[in-house]
Amino acid sequence: MLLSPEDGAAIKLTLKLAFTTTLILLVLGMPIAWWLASTQSRLKAVIVAFVAMPLVLPPTVLGFYLLILLSPQSTLGQFMQYMGLSTLPFTFTGMVVASILYSAPFVIQPLQNAFELVERHYLEAAATLGASKFRAFWQITLPLSRHGILTAIILGFAHTVGEFGVVLMIGGNIPDRTRVVSMQIYNHVEAVEYSQAHTLSLGMVVFAFLVLIAMYWLNQYTAPRKKHY
């Protein structure tokens, strides 16, 4: 069955949300992941737990508290209105904020794991040659962590595509503005439009299968291999 204009709009918005969220998470997640991989601070356990909370929290719980935090009646919402900014609930920007928090562990944890595998003597050698920490990170850590970076991109993007509860709570279900594929499938089921729901759902199944194939390929062919002596 051909996709309706509403289905097409939902797909475009979903891809836009996933691209935006993944890009922002990479920029914000890399310094957080590097700090977690290299620090001995007692705060590490707290930050790790905070980042990982979306893995165990129901999406609606996270979405509910974000809705309260960002509402026009909240302190943050009133401050944004005072500054002449629009509030975030039921907007695409609000959905991006929610998606960043909800998909954070799927990006930050692979990055952290990859950074932890980088041999410290490479960085120490770079430091003795006068390289700054930023230069060593850019020219040594990142190239050696490419497998983890690719994994983070794939997982972050895929997880954002499949979101439902948290984006529904913070974004609502507004056509052409906040209605993503998962919401469109729900709408079709509610309207007993099973053939349309099947078309979109099958597309999501194929997408998930391709993601798993990509993850297998990464682990099989690009992961760092152990040396045997």
Side-chain angles (χ1 to χ4, degrees), residues 17 70 86-88 90-99 177-178:
L17 178 64
L70 301 176
S86 60
T87 52
L88 297 181
F90 312 116
T91 65
F92 178 79
T93 303
M95 292 174 64
V96 170
V97 173
S99 297
R177 290 180 56 190
T178 63

Side-chain angles (χ1 to χ4, degrees), residues 190-219:
E190 284 282 285
V192 200
E193 299 169 347
Y194 290 151
S195 60
Q196 294 95 323
H198 171 69
T199 301
L200 287 178
S201 297
L202 182 60
M204 294 290 283
V205 170
V206 172
F207 173 76
F209 180 77
L210 293 176
V211 166
L212 294 175
I213 290 292
M215 291 298 302
Y216 173 83
W217 184 85
L218 277 174
N219 290 326

